[in-house]
Amino acid sequence: MRQIAEALRDRGLEVWLDEWELVPGRPWIPELERQIQTARTVAVFVGENGLGPWERPEMEVALMEGVRRGISIIPVPLPDAPADLTLPAFLTRYTWVDLRSGITPDGINRLFWGITGEKPSMPSSRRIHNLPFLSMGNLLKGRDADLQSLAASLQSRHATAIVQPQAIHGLGGIGKTRLAVEYAWRSGDRHHAALFVRAESPEALHASLAGLAVPLSLSISSGQPQEEIIRAVFGWLQQNPGWLLILDNVDTEEAEQAVLEILPALKGGHILITSRRTNWPAEIQERPIEKLSQEEATRYLLDRTKQKRASGSDDTEKAGELASLLDGLPLALEQAAAYINHRRISFSKYLKDWQGKRKTVLDWYDASHMRYPAPVAVTWQSTFDQLCLTAKSILRLSAYLAPDPIPVEMFEEGEKILKEADARLCAQTGEEIESTTVDEALADLAAYSMASFSNGMFTVHRMVQEVLRTRVPKERRRDWIELSLRLVNDFSPPDPGNVRSWPVWDVLRPHVAEVVGQADQVRISDPTARLMNHLGQLLSAKGLYPEAEPLMRRALTIHQETLGEEHPNLAIHFNNLAQLLQDTNRLAEAEPLMHRALAIDQSAFGENHPKVAIRLNNLASLLQATNRLAEAEPLMRRALDIDQNAFGENHPDVATDLNNLASLLQATNRLSEAEPLMRRALDIDQNAFGENHPNVARDLNNLAQLLQATNRLSEAEPLMRQALEIWERSLGPDHPHTGIARRNLESLLKKIAEQGEPPESSPSGA
């Protein structure tokens, strides 16, 4: 150790060794803290005479402090280290210098180079680089795995005859350039030169390559042709292997072709390409980069604004809220943090600004405060400009949907609406209308990282949607929202209460919620109210009553304002809201709404219409729930007669009528009359829907309860089990119907046990 220290001192480095330089009797902790605070580099010696297990906790704390300050960390395996040495986990993320060959002048040179960045054997005494910005240190969040993967694939320190370029690709603002530059800073002695080349166009690529002559200290004359300078740069790269070349922002097809043309001339080093383009030749290794996790984004916001934000007791909570809003996009996170620091405001104030003046917040940019060259909105403009017309239309329409997976089929079926969108976009931009299929347009979006695809679905990043919405002229906003609304409305199944429509509705649910909210803001009444009501029905059918009720009430209000109080659509809204109120045991509120629904339909359709039968049934069920059985029974029988006359004897609506009447007969202790009605209802629903439909589960549950009431417990048990299994599969284990079935089965099993008949097994989910 002392030999290494003396050799490094000979090269002008300040080295402090606590074992030999701590004077006995003097306070040593302040001196240790001073050294840690002033050090610019830390070399950690690993081996029998180096870092020992007892020192690791202290060393880990010290290194974390070093990383916070952005200093270099260099693990150094000593000569006594075993050949199969495994670095401690907390050191594996850093560059290392291998001295196991012995403490020789060459070994000291390599350690000196690792600490200072200077390579004594080279004509220039400093490590060559033209990196555009400094290392982020511990502010780089969520990229450890990416850095380790890059290090593993680019670990060779020797010249390579064939360069194997790697393309880091992803959405603009996702942190591709940051990752490449951070790797360059942390690569230590793997590359004696780290060179950064702007490559957003062929012209920029050639100019930036020629510009490398300056950091490489090449002799060039005034007026020398660019081609000659580039040849000189390529000659230097071939004669000085071991370099790293970053080709940044290769985002256009022309730029990609220009890069591919120069690659064969580059030998002896490694190449990193950053690009929004996702389709690269097979000889280039692709490295997609994703957004940050919620936790990583929150930590970034807290750390980045720690010194300047106005602190509050809810900082962590609000930082998490902001991280979720910005959806893990590093550029958006940096822009928000810089805005907060510049204005010395709190997270809460930023969130308030976001809600009140979103375009201003998204457009804000100050180069002196930000670690990125442009704000979020500007970053994507060049990509938008390169997309085909239909891809732009799909993005515009998607901007008013949720940041959740969107079914490709919805756009395929909405071809007419998509053509309208193309025409409107052309009218705004002056572009020519071009013929592009949905598949081609979506492939275009994927090629530029503007959308990600999986299993017939595509996703657009939340921040892309935000920027797109702010870029739509205010006078055209309503038009685009209306198109998105129609697209979703046309694709939505007509019966959200039918469990068979739920696979589609479950995908549409977040998009319906988003687009109806957007539409309501600009006062589009139709089909906004219809979609709101359908979404409310879906949520109510799933037992999500608190989410369903405000949607149902708002849909009712919209149609009251636009259609008047006697329109048949009002009967639907009154009926649905009344059923929700009944399901949540607010019977007194529900009854007048049911009476209004019945009166509207009787006036609109006459006394014997199936819609009237629905209202009669629902009102009768509420009357039964309030123990007014004598009032309820004639309404149920009348509903049954209407449906049998309208649909015949074997329609599912007739099965519902039979079930309701049988339930009332059971409540009035007329079990022998109720049972055949229940069995008939079960037969109808099994024939109509099959054995595993929720309506069949309802019929089985009702019949089982009647059998239990007549003390036929062994007949009731299998029916109850079957009902529970169906509801668990179709509605989920937490649905109210599933809970009722589970409690019914538990009660039945308890009675069987009391009578000395052991149950087959415990109820599912109990």
Side-chain angles (χ1 to χ4, degrees):
M1 291 283 235
R2 176 165 290 187
Q3 183 181 354
I4 294 174
E6 290 173 354
L8 290 173
R9 282 197 185 96
D10 291 341
R11 294 193 175 278
L13 288 180
E14 179 184 350
V15 182
W16 184 71
L17 298 174
D18 63 324
E19 287 188 43
W20 293 287
E21 298 189 10
L22 285 175
V23 179
R26 291 186 184 178
W28 61 272
I29 292 180
E31 177 64 14
L32 178 62
E33 291 176 344
R34 186 189 73 79
Q35 294 290 343
I36 292 174
Q37 288 299 318
T38 58
R40 290 178 297 172
T41 305
V42 173
V44 183
F45 296 100
V46 185
E48 292 298 324
N49 295 311
L51 177 66
W54 59 92
E55 295 169 310
R56 290 184 185 180
E58 292 85 352
M59 181 62 73
E60 185 167 2
V61 171
L63 292 186
M64 291 305 102
E65 173 64 17
V67 170
R68 185 189 68 77
R69 290 174 43 225
I71 66 176
S72 300
I73 308 295
I74 305 175
V76 181
L78 293 173
D80 60 11
D84 59 348
L85 170 69
T86 300
L87 287 178
F90 69 92
L91 288 178
T92 56
R93 71 192 67 181
Y94 307 114
T95 304
W96 64 335
V97 177
D98 196 341
L99 295 185
R100 282 179 289 189
S101 59
I103 304 177
T104 63
D106 178 64
I108 296 299
N109 280 345
R110 285 189 286 114
L111 180 56
F112 178 86
W113 180 19
I115 292 176
T116 66
E118 300 176 6
K119 187 175 183 181
S121 60
M122 293 182 61
S124 170
S125 62
R126 300 192 62 82
R127 182 191 185 204
I128 297 173
H129 80 82
N130 68 333
L131 299 175
F133 31 72
L134 297 173
S135 166
M136 290 182 68
N138 72 329
L139 277 177
L140 188 77
K141 307 295 186 188
R143 299 301 187 213
D144 285 354
D146 294 308
L147 287 169
Q148 289 170 8
S149 179
L150 278 173
S153 61
L154 302 176
Q155 62 186 346
S156 172
R157 302 176 192 171
H158 305 293
T160 55
I162 300 176
V163 174
Q164 303 222 345
Q166 303 197 37
I168 303 171
H169 63 77
L171 178 66
I174 205 72
K176 304 178 294 293
T177 301
R178 275 289 170 189
L179 176 62
V181 171
E182 194 67 28
Y183 168 75
W185 280 115
R186 299 189 188 193
S187 62
D189 67 341
R190 288 196 183 98
H191 311 289
H192 65 77
L195 305 171
F196 186 89
V197 172
R198 292 178 53 219
E200 63 268 22
S201 67
E203 296 76 17
L205 171 66
H206 296 145
S208 195
L209 282 170
L212 292 180
V214 175
L216 296 179
S217 301
L218 300 180
S219 297
I220 57 174
S221 59
S222 177
Q224 188 172 354
Q226 188 182 75
E227 294 80 3
E228 291 184 10
I229 301 174
I230 293 175
R231 280 198 296 272
V233 168
F234 284 0
W236 187 97
L237 293 174
Q238 291 170 357
Q239 294 165 19
N240 296 273
W243 41 263
L244 172 70
L245 183 65
I246 299 172
L247 302 175
D248 190 50
N249 283 345
V250 187
D251 296 335
T252 68
E253 185 175 351
E254 295 76 17
E256 179 182 335
Q257 289 305 313
V259 164
L260 294 176
E261 287 173 7
I262 68 167
L263 290 183
L266 296 172
K267 296 180 180 179
H270 291 100
I271 296 174
L272 283 180
I273 299 168
T274 72
S275 177
R276 301 176 195 183
R277 296 178 62 79
T278 61
N279 299 324
W280 289 89
E283 61 269 23
I284 295 178
Q285 182 179 354
E286 294 186 9
R287 288 185 173 275
I289 182 172
E290 305 295 337
K291 65 185 180 181
L292 301 183
S293 70
Q294 171 79 8
E295 179 184 358
E296 292 158 349
T298 302
R299 284 194 294 113
Y300 175 82
L301 288 170
L302 290 168
D303 290 352
R304 177 74 170 86
T305 62
K306 181 166 52 178
Q307 302 298 327
K308 295 183 179 180
R309 74 171 180 269
S311 298
S313 59
D314 59 351
D315 275 358
T316 300
E317 176 189 346
K318 293 300 181 183
E321 186 178 336
L322 179 54
S324 177
L325 195 67
L326 303 179
D327 201 18
L329 184 71
L331 171 53
L333 294 164
E334 168 63 12
Q335 188 171 334
Y339 184 97
I340 289 168
N341 285 341
H342 176 62
R343 303 199 174 197
R344 309 293 176 111
I345 61 175
S346 64
F347 289 124
S348 294
K349 179 62 169 65
Y350 182 89
L351 289 167
K352 184 177 179 181
D353 286 354
W354 175 275
Q355 295 300 330
K357 42 186 179 180
R358 190 165 305 175
K359 188 176 187 303
T360 300
V361 171
L362 281 171
D363 287 345
W364 180 88
Y365 177 75
D366 188 325
S368 64
H369 289 82
M370 285 187 63
R371 296 169 177 261
Y372 284 82
V376 170
V378 174
T379 296
W380 292 321
Q381 189 58 52
S382 62
T383 303
F384 293 154
D385 293 342
Q386 294 177 68
L387 297 172
C388 70
L389 177 66
T390 304
K392 293 176 183 177
S393 295
I394 289 174
L395 274 185
R396 277 277 183 97
L397 294 170
S398 300
Y400 296 100
L401 305 181
D404 294 84
I406 301 168
V408 171
E409 187 181 359
M410 181 167 71
F411 281 88
E412 292 173 338
E413 292 187 6
E415 183 180 4
K416 180 180 177 182
I417 293 172
L418 200 50
K419 287 183 177 179
E420 286 186 51
D422 286 348
R424 289 187 183 181
L425 201 54
C426 287
Q428 179 184 333
T429 63
E431 294 180 59
E432 294 288 334
I433 292 183
E434 57 187 20
S435 177
T436 307
T437 67
V438 171
D439 284 345
E440 291 170 335
L442 291 174
D444 203 25
L445 292 176
Y448 286 97
S449 300
M450 296 304 292
S452 56
F453 290 81
S454 178
N455 299 323
M457 314 285 281
F458 72 97
T459 305
V460 179
H461 193 280
R462 181 192 301 274
M463 291 304 300
V464 173
Q465 293 175 309
E466 291 285 358
V467 169
L468 283 165
R469 288 198 292 266
T470 65
R471 288 298 182 266
V472 175
K474 189 174 181 180
E475 64 274 12
R476 294 188 173 92
R477 181 186 174 207
R478 180 187 174 94
D479 294 340
W480 284 96
I481 293 174
E482 186 175 24
L483 284 176
S484 297
L485 184 70
R486 285 169 49 201
L487 184 73
V488 174
N489 180 72
D490 290 354
F491 190 67
S492 62
D495 185 8
N498 184 347
V499 70
R500 290 179 173 174
S501 72
W502 286 7
V504 176
W505 269 109
D506 287 342
V507 171
L508 279 185
R509 176 177 159 187
H511 303 300
V512 173
E514 179 65 32
V515 77
V516 297
Q518 298 277 350
D520 200 22
Q521 287 181 17
V522 295
R523 312 295 292 178
I524 300 174
S525 60
D526 189 58
T528 305
R530 174 192 176 275
L531 271 177
M532 279 184 175
N533 183 63
H534 274 36
L535 181 57
Q537 283 183 275
L538 174 74
L539 296 171
S540 182
K542 289 176 173 287
L544 303 173
Y545 304 119
E547 296 176 51
E549 185 171 347
L551 288 166
M552 287 185 176
R553 289 189 180 278
R554 180 58 188 153
L556 171 60
T557 300
I558 291 172
H559 272 166
Q560 282 177 315
E561 293 172 351
T562 57
L563 302 177
E565 294 290 341
E566 301 302 322
H567 193 279
N569 283 3
L570 268 295
I572 296 171
H573 294 306
F574 285 132
N575 177 76
N576 293 343
L577 180 56
Q579 285 190 292
L580 182 146
L581 293 170
Q582 181 174 348
D583 288 339
T584 54
N585 205 32
R586 289 175 282 174
L587 305 183
E589 296 178 60
E591 186 172 346
L593 300 185
M594 287 189 175
H595 280 290
R596 288 190 67 183
L598 175 59
I600 291 172
D601 278 347
Q602 285 176 326
S603 174
F605 303 113
E607 297 289 335
N608 297 309
H609 195 277
K611 286 185 180 290
V612 172
I614 294 172
R615 310 300 175 236
L616 290 169
N617 249 324
N618 292 339
L619 177 57
S621 294
L622 186 142
L623 293 172
Q624 181 177 344
T626 57
N627 205 33
R628 289 178 281 172
L629 305 181
E631 297 177 54
E633 185 171 347
L635 301 185
M636 288 184 180
R637 292 189 180 279
R638 183 178 157 204
L640 176 59
D641 288 340
I642 292 172
D643 282 339
Q644 286 184 141
N645 289 331
F647 302 123
E649 297 287 333
N650 298 309
H651 193 275
D653 284 6
V654 173
T656 299
D657 299 334
L658 291 168
N659 248 313
N660 291 341
L661 180 57
S663 174
L664 184 143
L665 293 171
Q666 182 176 349
T668 55
N669 205 31
R670 290 176 280 175
L671 304 183
S672 60
E673 295 179 54
E675 185 173 345
L677 301 185
M678 287 185 180
R679 293 190 181 277
R680 184 180 158 202
L682 176 60
D683 287 341
I684 293 172
D685 282 337
Q686 284 176 328
N687 289 329
F689 302 117
E691 297 289 336
N692 297 307
H693 193 275
N695 283 16
V696 173
R698 174 199 65 190
D699 301 339
L700 290 167
N701 183 71
N702 291 346
L703 179 57
Q705 285 187 287
L706 185 143
L707 293 171
Q708 180 177 343
T710 56
N711 206 32
R712 289 177 281 174
L713 306 186
S714 59
E715 295 180 55
E717 183 184 350
L719 303 185
M720 281 194 180
R721 288 186 181 278
Q722 189 179 349
L724 176 57
E725 289 171 3
I726 294 171
W727 270 330
E728 281 185 329
R729 282 197 304 269
S730 58
L731 304 180
D734 300 322
H735 193 279
H737 289 351
T738 307
I740 290 171
R742 189 176 293 119
R743 289 190 294 274
N744 288 344
L745 181 55
E746 288 172 346
S747 174
L748 174 65
L749 294 175
K750 184 177 179 181
K751 288 190 176 182
I752 291 174
E754 289 172 353
Q755 293 184 8
E757 299 179 28
E760 294 177 11
S761 62
S762 299
S764 174

